[in-house]
């Protein structure tokens, strides 16, 4: 299997905005090279999880090894690396890119370049990639290939004159893409005789094989039975299986420089395998790791609680199962006075949070209450201690706080000119600092520094709504800075609902407090008694709303024949109430917890 | 001490099923009057044997449409009951009647049979709404039947349904005033609600029947009380209004959680027997009920003693519907539980403070604001 000379290997990834046709193109490439028969092709082979298919995003990196007889008459091995496609997984993307020498930049010929594409293409350029622009959907009436080519040159600074014009959907000019891969991308470099160095691109859990590690060999060879070591982790494993994806898993004897494939080594959980780590030979270890390793650190945290307290153990088991396959997400048990026993969970970003929540509900059939997402603050105590705070409930008394730092991001937003005003307003409302503003054709690119906590609640939603969906957004973490932050508590009939507490900048506190009180007023149905909702900083109430009592709720007809039924109904109601979350005798529907914290301007 | 008895007799048949009604009623092409009359008499006798010759406070012919019964059957059942039990001197005998011309024609015969109170299912004085509600009579027929009944019976009552689709406050006030001028001593004024399994439920689910919202319903309810008061009718129960002294004694027995026996298909009872309080229930479907009666003398299905906490719940959910409320000593005697043990103290305190409930002179009662929200109140109040 490893008989392809290194100069006939091409490793490439596909960069594209959601919906611009990445998965469809990947399918066509697999089909055209005979990786799968037509019968085996299901729509979008590469996205394994239902969720991935539904959302059109890729969560795990994957590879496919294609064999292509080029026009020069030679057989080439083309390794397609499918990268995760979202800002939350920027680091994972960077590792996938590091495993390739080139990229196909797929741009929708009617939509043009989007912010997400831009961020990834810059990453690819940084990774030293040769980039081949592909214009997709050129067959559509709205296609403007010349304009988009110009845009690629203006915005990205890439020569797009040789862009390959295709329609992935109809299969138009797939051959052109394959030829471009062979002729325009460089072959990988590597020394087969040097000590082994292989990059961990990604890993996932397979119930039969244990952890499957997706690797790219840089130097040396990796073979079955070999004892290898994870350089950053320090753990040693015996390689059980080496293989490639065609896209089916096919075992091979070994993998050499430039090759992509997988190994298994009786590893039980992906937490033992760090993305970006370097695999070396235990007996003949390479001295230097591959560059760019970073441990993954959650940036957004929230509490997850079972609606039914009896589901706590089930939630714990489900989280453990999910973590088997996703080491980037963290959880630890916590308790809330309002919600009982649950877990504080850390995520790479908001999308990651949503995905995990959705999988818990869908795959494990759990009803969950999620508390407001929080970023990780750095609290400097007067005593000089510094601690990381990711639950507003844990914020120390103000008298013990010297100062607090909050994380910032650098955000790139691309938007048609017409909506620029609204976007700039949104960014400045969210305490944004403009870094750069440039225009390309009728599109603007705004670069802002923004506090992450202004983004975690509903920034995406707002961005979409003020730009009618035309703005695209990408970000990277950009350090910490001191900030005047306060904790806002929410009280229902005088009782603190700790799960609704949140941290905000002092300048935003009153507006946010008012907004959440108004939201809760709409979200909490009228009940027997009127309900007082208050937002407070410490003991000072900054906002207040009252939900009036329900106006009428009484059975019109109730006679001798109705007593038994009415009594049973009453008993059922009582039983139902016992299972509900009550705060000061007020039932708060689970939907209220997250929805309450979304802000409308 | 024998408990005075309220006797309920169920006639399960109707000419047509009304789309709002979830009562145990059945439409048949032909009804074997003689057979069902016989079966009711048999079951009454069977019940009387175990109850003994107790004081009889009231008889109520309900349905279904009991005005479709042969007057002779009504006469026989009244004669049987007054013979088997010890009738009170002021024995109240009510019959529910629909104001179609056919049934109005029999009112005199019912009076002759001994019925001394009639309750007419008028439901609306608005021709369009009568059609919507699936009623078989016209406004003119309703008015004629009421006038006829007023001449025949010492006491009359009729029903109206409000909070109908699109009904405005002004329209309801006008319609209600028109009704009050027809000079009944008692009115049952029901808010239209959607009950499971009814024709309206299906329409409502499809969005084809839109009812006034809760705020409007509350305003209609308040207006109802105001208009009734102008004519000297006081609300003595959530949906019932009467001149003082004209309350339905039979229905009061339900709300006061006193003993009542129910005979006929689907009839329920609460009867004190051998120191227990028995919940009785008859087979719901008319024909199988009749077969059982013919076979074994009665159509009972399950009969269970009601335990003290359940008695407490039942007495609360009925008693708080009444303006007069619940006397604490009667509550303890009837349920075997002290009132405070049956209530959630926190909710009670809040409800008293909020003006939903009042407690004075050994009586707990729901005030108008509490009565309007009684279902929600009970769900939290009952311990």
């Amino acid at each position: 299997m490893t008989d392809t000379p290194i100069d006939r290997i091409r490793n490439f990834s596909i960069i594209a905005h959601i919906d611009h046709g990445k998965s469809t193109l990947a399918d066509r490439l697999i089909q055209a090279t005979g990786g799968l028969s037509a019968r085996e092709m299901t729509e979008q082979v590469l996205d394994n999880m239902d969720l991935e298919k539904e959302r059109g995003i890729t969560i795990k990196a994957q590879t496919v090894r294609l064999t292509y007889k080029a026009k020069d008459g030679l057989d080439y091995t083309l390794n397609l690396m499918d990268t995760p496609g979202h800002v939350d997984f920027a680091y994972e993307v960077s590792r996938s890119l590091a495993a390739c020498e080139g990229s196909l930049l797929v741009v929708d010929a009617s939509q043009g370049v989007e912010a997400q594409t831009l961020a990834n293409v810059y990453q690819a350029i940084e990774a030293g990639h040769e980039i081949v622009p592909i214009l997709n959907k050129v067959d559509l009436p709205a296609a403007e290939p010349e304009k988009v080519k110009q845009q690629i040159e203006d915005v990205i600074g890439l020569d797009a004159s040789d862009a390959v014009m295709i329609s992935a959907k109809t299969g138009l000019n797939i051959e052109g893409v394959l030829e471009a891969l062979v002729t325009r991308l460089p072959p990988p470099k590597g020394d087969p005789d040097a000590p082994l160095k292989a990059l961990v691109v990604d890993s996932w859990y397979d119930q039969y094989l244990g952890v499957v590690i997706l690797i790219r060999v840089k130097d040396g060879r990796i073979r079955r039975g070999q004892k290898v070591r994870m350089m950053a982790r320090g753990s040693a494993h015996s390689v059980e299986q080496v293989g490639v994806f065609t896209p089916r898993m096919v075992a091979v004897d070994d993998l050499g420089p430039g090759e992509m494939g997988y190994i298994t080594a009786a590893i039980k959980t992906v937490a033992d395998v760090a993305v970006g780590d370097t695999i070396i030979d235990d007996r003949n270890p390479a001295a230097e790791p591959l560059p760019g390793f970073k441990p993954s650190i959650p940036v957004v945290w929230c509490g997850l609680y079972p609606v039914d307290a009896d589901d706590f153990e089930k939630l714990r088991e489900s989280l453990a199962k999910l973590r088997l396959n996703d080491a980037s997400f963290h959880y630890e048990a916590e308790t809330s006075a309002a919600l009982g026993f649950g877990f504080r969970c850390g995520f790479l970003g908001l999308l990651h949070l949503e995905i995990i929540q959705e999988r818990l509900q869908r795959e494990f059939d759990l009803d969950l209450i999620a508390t407001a997402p929080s970023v990780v603050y750095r609290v400097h105590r007067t005593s000089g201690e510094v601690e990381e705070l990711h639950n507003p409930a844990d914020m120390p008394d103000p008298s013990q706080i010297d100062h607090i730092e909050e994380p910032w991001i650098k955000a790139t937003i691309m938007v048609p000119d017409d909506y620029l005003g609204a976007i700039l307003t949104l960014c400045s409302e969210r305490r944004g600092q403009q870094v750069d503003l440039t225009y390309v054709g009728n599109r603007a690119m705004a670069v802002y520094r923004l506090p992450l906590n202004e983004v975690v609640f509903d920034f995406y939603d707002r961005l979409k709504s003020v730009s009618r969906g035309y703005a695209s957004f990408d970000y990277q973490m950009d350090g910490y800075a001191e900030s005047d932050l306060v904790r806002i508590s929410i009280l229902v009939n005088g009782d603190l609902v700790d799960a609704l507490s949140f941290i905000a900048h002092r300048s935003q506190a009153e507006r946010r407090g008012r907004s959440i009180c108004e939201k809760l007023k709409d979200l909490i149905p009228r009940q027997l008694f009127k309900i007082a909702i208050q937002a407070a900083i410490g003991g000072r109430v900054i906002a207040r709303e009252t939900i009036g009592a329900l106006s009428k709720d009484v059975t019109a007809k109730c006679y001798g024949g109705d007593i038994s039924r009415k009594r049973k109904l009453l008993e059922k109601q009582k039983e139902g109430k016992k299972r509900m979350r009550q705060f000061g005798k007020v039932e708060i529907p689970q939907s209220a917890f997250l929805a309450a914290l979304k802000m409308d301007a | 001490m024998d408990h005075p008895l309220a006797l309920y007799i169920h006639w399960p048949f109707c000419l047509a099923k009304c789309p709002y009604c979830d009562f145990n009623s059945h439409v048949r092409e032909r009804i074997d009057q003689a057979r069902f009359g016989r079966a009711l008499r048999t079951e009454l006798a069977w019940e009387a044997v175990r109850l003994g010759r107790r004081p009889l406070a009231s008889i109520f012919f309900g349905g279904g449409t009991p005005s479709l019964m042969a007057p002779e059957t009504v006469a026989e059942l009244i004669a049987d009951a007054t013979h088997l039990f010890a009738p009170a001197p002021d024995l109240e005998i009510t019959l529910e009647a629909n104001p179609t011309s056919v049934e109005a024609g029999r009112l005199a015969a019912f009076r002759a049979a001994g019925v001394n109170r009639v309750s007419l299912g008028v439901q609306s004085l608005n021709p369009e709404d009568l059609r919507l509600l699936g009623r078989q009579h016209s406004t003119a027929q309703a008015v004629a039947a009421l006038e006829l009944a007023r001449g025949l019976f010492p006491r009359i009552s009729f029903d109206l349904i409000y909070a109908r689709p699109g009904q405005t406050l002004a329209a309801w006030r006008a319609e209600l005033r028109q009704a009050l001028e027809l000079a009944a001593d008692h009115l049952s004024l029901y808010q239209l609600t959607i009950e499971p399994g009814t024709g309206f439920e299906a329409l409502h689910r499809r969005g084809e029947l839109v009812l006034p919202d809760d705020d409007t319903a509350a305003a209609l309810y308040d207006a109802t009380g105001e208009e009734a008061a102008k004519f000297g009718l006081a609300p003595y129960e959530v949906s019932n209004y009467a001149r003082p002294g004209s309350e339905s004694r039979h229905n009061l027995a339900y709300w006061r959680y006193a003993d009542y026996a129910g005979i006929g298909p689907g009839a329920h009872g609460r009867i004190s027997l051998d120191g227990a309080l028995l919940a009785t229930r008859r087979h719901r479907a008319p024909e199988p009920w009749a077969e059982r009666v013919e076979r074994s003398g009665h159509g009972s299905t399950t009969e269970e003693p009601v335990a003290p906490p359940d008695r407490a719940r039942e007495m609360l959910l009925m008693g708080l519907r009444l303006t007069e409320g619940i006397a604490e000593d009667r509550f303890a005697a009837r349920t075997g539980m002290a009132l405070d043990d049956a209530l959630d103290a926190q909710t009670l305190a809040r409800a008293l403070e909020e003006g939903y409930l009042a407690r004075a002179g050994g009586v707990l009662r729901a005030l108008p604001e509490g009565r309007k929200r009684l279902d929600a109140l009970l769900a939290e109040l009952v311990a």
Side-chain angles (χ1 to χ4, degrees):
Chain A
M1 276 306 288
T2 59
D3 49 2
T4 318
I6 194 165
D7 62 353
R8 273 191 263 145
I9 298 176
R10 299 291 182 275
N11 295 319
F12 70 104
S13 71
I14 304 179
I15 297 167
H17 187 70
I18 292 169
D19 293 337
H20 281 200
K22 180 173 82 167
S23 300
T24 315
L25 175 59
D27 289 351
R28 288 285 168 263
L29 294 174
I30 295 167
Q31 232 174 358
T33 54
L36 283 178
S37 69
R39 257 185 75 218
E40 288 171 304
M41 289 292 296
T42 54
E43 273 299 295
Q44 303 186 351
V45 177
L46 290 180
D47 290 344
N48 274 331
M49 279 187 266
D50 282 351
L51 218 62
E52 295 188 348
K53 279 190 186 154
E54 265 169 47
R55 288 173 173 248
I57 49 170
T58 308
I59 296 163
K60 289 281 180 192
Q62 284 177 290
T63 66
V64 188
R65 179 187 177 112
L66 311 168
T67 306
Y68 172 62
K69 189 181 270 302
K71 285 186 178 150
D72 62 12
L74 299 171
D75 281 335
Y76 287 83
T77 293
L78 308 178
N79 289 311
L80 161 59
M81 169 70 69
D82 192 24
T83 60
H86 191 273
V87 288
D88 286 355
F89 308 112
Y91 172 67
E92 285 68 13
V93 173
S94 79
R95 295 306 84 200
S96 300
L97 295 177
C100 305
E101 285 73 41
S103 289
L104 301 178
L105 168 63
V106 179
V107 181
D108 184 313
S110 55
Q111 306 278 325
V113 177
E114 301 288 351
Q116 191 197 338
T117 322
L118 203 62
N120 288 349
V121 91
Y122 284 147
Q123 274 195 312
I125 291 168
E126 239 170 84
H129 278 199
E130 180 66 37
I131 293 164
V132 178
I134 309 276
L135 295 193
N136 191 20
K137 309 189 191 181
V138 291
D139 56 330
L140 294 186
E144 296 177 289
E146 287 315 311
K147 207 171 140 193
V148 173
K149 272 189 197 175
Q150 190 59 46
Q151 193 202 17
I152 291 171
E153 291 184 7
D154 293 343
V155 179
I156 307 172
L158 275 178
D159 178 4
S161 54
D162 292 342
V164 186
M165 315 279 259
I166 68 160
S167 166
K169 199 174 165 195
T170 64
L172 173 74
N173 200 21
I174 297 305
E175 193 74 18
V177 177
L178 291 163
E179 278 302 313
L181 285 169
V182 168
T183 56
R184 288 167 65 176
L185 295 198
K189 295 189 191 85
D191 179 356
D193 301 319
L196 170 67
K197 266 189 197 178
L199 176 69
V200 174
V201 177
D202 210 342
S203 67
W204 57 88
Y205 183 78
D206 180 290
Q207 58 171 322
Y208 301 109
L209 301 172
V211 174
V212 177
I213 308 171
L214 181 57
I215 59 163
R216 156 69 200 271
V217 179
K218 293 284 188 181
D219 288 320
R221 305 192 82 83
I222 191 164
R223 68 185 72 83
R224 194 171 56 230
Q226 187 176 7
K227 189 140 185 230
V228 295
R229 180 171 291 279
M230 299 289 172
M231 216 166 171
R233 289 265 150 184
S235 57
H237 307 275
S238 203
V239 176
E240 288 190 339
Q241 209 186 101
V242 179
V244 296
F245 296 92
T246 68
R248 284 181 302 261
M249 289 172 88
V250 176
V252 299
D253 293 333
D254 62 3
L255 291 171
E259 291 196 291
M260 283 187 199
Y262 68 88
I263 62 165
T264 65
I267 299 171
K268 293 280 181 297
T269 149
V270 295
D272 295 335
V273 181
V275 169
D277 206 345
T278 306
I279 301 176
I280 53 174
D281 188 340
D282 195 42
R283 292 200 185 84
N284 180 20
E288 293 292 319
L290 295 166
F293 174 72
K294 259 194 334 197
S296 89
I297 300 162
V299 297
V300 177
W301 292 77
C302 81
L304 292 180
Y305 290 83
V307 169
D308 186 340
D310 293 344
D311 280 344
F312 176 76
E313 275 309 318
K314 188 175 169 194
L315 176 57
R316 181 202 294 281
E317 284 162 25
S318 307
L319 288 167
K321 273 187 200 153
L322 284 184
R323 186 157 159 83
L324 273 183
N325 203 21
D326 183 355
S328 60
F329 122 82
H330 293 242
Y331 67 97
E332 58 206 44
E334 72 167 2
T335 54
S336 145
L339 299 173
F341 291 101
F343 293 92
R344 182 127 289 251
C345 302
F347 307 91
L348 295 176
L350 269 192
L351 176 90
H352 190 212
L353 177 155
E354 265 180 55
I355 289 168
I356 296 286
Q357 252 189 61
E358 212 171 310
R359 290 188 63 192
L360 286 167
Q361 297 186 345
R362 202 188 285 199
E363 294 170 31
F364 299 94
D365 195 27
L366 279 163
D367 268 343
L368 296 176
I369 294 174
T371 67
S374 170
V375 303
V376 180
Y377 299 97
R378 281 189 195 144
V379 178
H380 296 255
R381 288 189 181 249
T382 46
S383 63
E385 283 168 72
V386 182
E387 59 196 53
E388 295 209 324
L389 175 72
H390 45 66
N391 185 352
D394 297 337
M395 185 148 145
D397 187 82
S399 66
Q400 295 175 29
I401 299 174
D402 184 70
H403 67 281
I404 304 178
E405 289 180 302
E406 65 177 330
W408 285 67
I409 59 166
K410 194 164 143 191
T412 304
I413 300 165
M414 294 200 67
V415 66
D417 286 352
D418 296 352
Y419 305 106
L420 181 63
I423 297 291
L424 298 186
T425 307
L426 175 65
C427 288
S428 68
E429 272 172 15
R430 302 300 171 94
R431 298 189 281 136
Q433 300 166 352
Q434 199 178 89
V435 176
D436 194 14
L437 181 61
T438 49
Y439 298 89
V440 183
N442 61 352
R443 289 170 72 82
M445 183 176 89
V447 180
Y448 265 83
R449 287 191 78 236
L450 283 157
L452 182 61
N453 92 341
E454 297 287 342
V455 175
V456 292
F457 291 127
D458 62 344
F459 190 78
Y460 297 127
D461 294 350
R462 294 288 304 144
L463 190 76
K464 265 188 231 150
S465 99
V466 301
S467 70
R468 303 218 184 142
Y470 285 112
S472 56
F473 173 78
D474 188 76
Y475 75 84
Q476 61 201 77
M477 300 305 292
D478 196 28
Y480 275 74
E482 185 176 339
S483 185
D484 187 9
L485 297 162
V486 289
R487 179 176 63 197
I488 294 150
S489 309
I490 301 299
L491 298 102
V492 172
N493 278 351
D495 284 2
L496 174 72
V497 183
D498 57 359
L500 286 174
S501 297
F502 62 97
I503 291 171
H505 192 261
R506 193 178 298 277
S507 68
Q508 310 271 24
E510 208 160 302
R511 187 171 69 88
R512 292 276 299 277
R514 231 183 1 255
S515 145
I516 186 174
C517 287
E518 284 164 13
K519 276 273 169 93
L520 285 169
K521 188 180 176 177
D522 291 337
L523 290 163
I524 300 176
R526 293 198 288 178
Q527 293 170 32
L528 175 62
F529 298 112
K530 58 181 184 288
I531 301 164
I533 298 170
Q534 294 168 307
I537 300 173
R540 187 169 63 90
V541 174
I542 54 166
R544 180 194 307 269
E545 288 285 340
T546 305
I547 302 172
L550 54 80
S551 49
K552 190 163 189 292
D553 180 17
V554 58
T555 308
K557 291 186 187 186
C558 189
Y559 294 95
D562 304 308
I563 296 185
S564 305
R565 192 165 48 92
K566 289 294 293 177
R567 194 227 316 147
K568 280 173 191 144
L569 204 66
L570 196 62
E571 282 159 8
K572 238 168 89 180
Q573 261 178 306
K574 287 232 74 105
E575 212 36 55
K577 275 187 187 298
K578 269 190 215 150
R579 294 164 52 94
M580 285 258 227
R581 307 274 171 187
Q582 293 206 1
F583 309 95
K585 286 235 146 207
V586 177
E587 288 154 22
I588 303 183
Q590 60 188 104
S591 58
F593 284 92
L594 194 54
L597 289 139
K598 293 202 171 181
M599 278 186 305
D600 292 322
Chain B
M1 168 68 208
D2 279 340
H3 292 269
L5 192 67
L7 174 65
Y8 178 77
I9 299 172
H10 191 79
W11 185 258
F13 303 109
C14 283
L15 289 176
K17 184 90 190 167
C18 297
Y20 56 85
C21 175
D22 69 335
F23 283 20
N24 185 24
S25 62
H26 304 262
V27 179
R28 297 283 184 274
E29 238 168 75
R30 258 205 326 272
I31 296 157
D32 189 341
Q33 286 270 353
R35 182 188 183 199
F36 281 95
R38 237 182 356 255
L40 284 171
R41 294 183 67 192
T42 305
E43 193 167 58
L44 175 59
W46 177 82
E47 192 72 83
V49 167
R50 63 172 176 172
L51 290 178
R53 211 177 126 76
R54 298 186 189 193
L56 180 66
S58 62
I59 304 174
F60 195 103
F61 292 91
T65 311
S67 51
L68 296 173
M69 283 173 90
E72 308 79 65
T73 308
V74 173
E76 284 163 357
L77 283 162
I78 292 172
D80 287 357
T82 51
H83 172 74
L84 293 164
F85 300 105
D90 57 350
L91 175 65
E92 176 192 275
I93 305 175
T94 306
L95 181 131
E96 288 180 332
N98 277 338
T100 65
S101 54
V102 179
E103 291 151 86
R106 299 156 118 166
L107 288 177
F110 290 131
R111 178 69 189 111
V115 174
N116 56 24
R117 183 173 179 272
V118 71
S119 172
L120 287 165
V122 172
Q123 314 311 1
S124 168
L125 294 174
N126 176 336
E128 261 175 55
D129 285 344
L130 281 174
R131 267 195 300 281
L132 173 83
L133 294 169
R135 303 297 292 172
Q136 308 275 306
H137 63 268
S138 66
T139 306
Q141 283 173 330
V143 173
L146 273 169
E147 274 165 7
L148 180 65
R150 209 164 48 225
L152 286 169
F153 296 90
R155 297 169 62 198
I156 61 168
S157 173
F158 61 91
D159 297 356
L160 292 177
I161 293 175
Y162 66 93
R164 307 188 289 250
Q167 190 174 37
T168 63
L169 205 55
W172 169 234
R173 279 186 192 269
E175 187 178 340
L176 181 56
R177 273 199 293 273
Q178 192 192 341
L180 286 157
E181 276 159 8
L182 293 167
D185 59 5
H186 185 285
L187 286 178
S188 298
L189 304 170
Y190 299 114
Q191 182 188 335
L192 176 59
T193 52
I194 302 300
E195 303 303 330
T198 60
F200 274 179
E201 190 207 19
L203 287 176
H204 188 254
R205 210 172 335 108
R206 292 200 299 267
E208 289 166 32
L209 183 80
V210 180
L211 297 187
D213 61 26
D214 287 354
D215 286 344
T216 311
L220 287 165
Y221 184 76
D222 292 343
T224 303
E226 287 164 25
E227 295 300 331
K230 289 182 197 160
F231 286 79
L233 267 61
Y236 71 100
E237 191 262 356
V238 170
S239 304
N240 284 278
Y241 301 78
R243 270 183 235 297
S246 293
E247 297 87 359
S248 162
R249 290 202 291 278
H250 181 84
N251 289 336
L252 276 174
Y254 298 143
W255 296 315
R256 287 174 177 160
Y257 202 49
D259 269 19
Y260 59 95
I263 67 163
H268 288 250
R270 290 287 181 281
I271 49 176
S272 304
L273 206 64
D274 307 327
L277 176 62
L278 218 54
T280 69
R281 194 156 59 85
R282 302 294 196 253
H283 204 283
R284 261 180 83 84
E287 289 79 10
W289 166 81
E291 277 160 33
R292 282 169 190 236
V293 175
E294 286 155 5
R295 210 167 46 231
S296 54
H298 66 90
S300 274
T301 53
T302 53
E303 297 206 335
E304 295 168 343
V306 188
D310 288 343
R311 291 188 207 177
R313 290 188 185 127
E314 296 190 341
M315 190 156 179
L316 280 167
L317 79 87
M318 295 307 265
L320 290 177
R321 296 181 69 84
L322 289 173
T323 306
E324 65 179 30
I326 300 169
E328 293 184 36
D329 52 356
R330 261 208 77 236
F331 184 87
R334 183 65 168 164
T335 67
M337 274 180 90
L339 184 60
D340 281 299
D341 293 338
L343 301 176
D344 177 84
Q346 218 185 326
T347 308
L348 176 64
R350 182 90 199 270
L352 289 167
E353 182 189 321
E354 203 66 39
Y356 290 172
L357 294 174
R359 191 177 194 180
V363 173
L364 177 72
R365 58 200 179 88
L367 297 173
E369 289 303 303
R371 229 166 22 240
K372 261 195 317 206
R373 306 170 168 95
L374 189 59
D375 289 2
L377 176 58
L378 283 166
E380 297 194 21
L381 182 64
V382 170

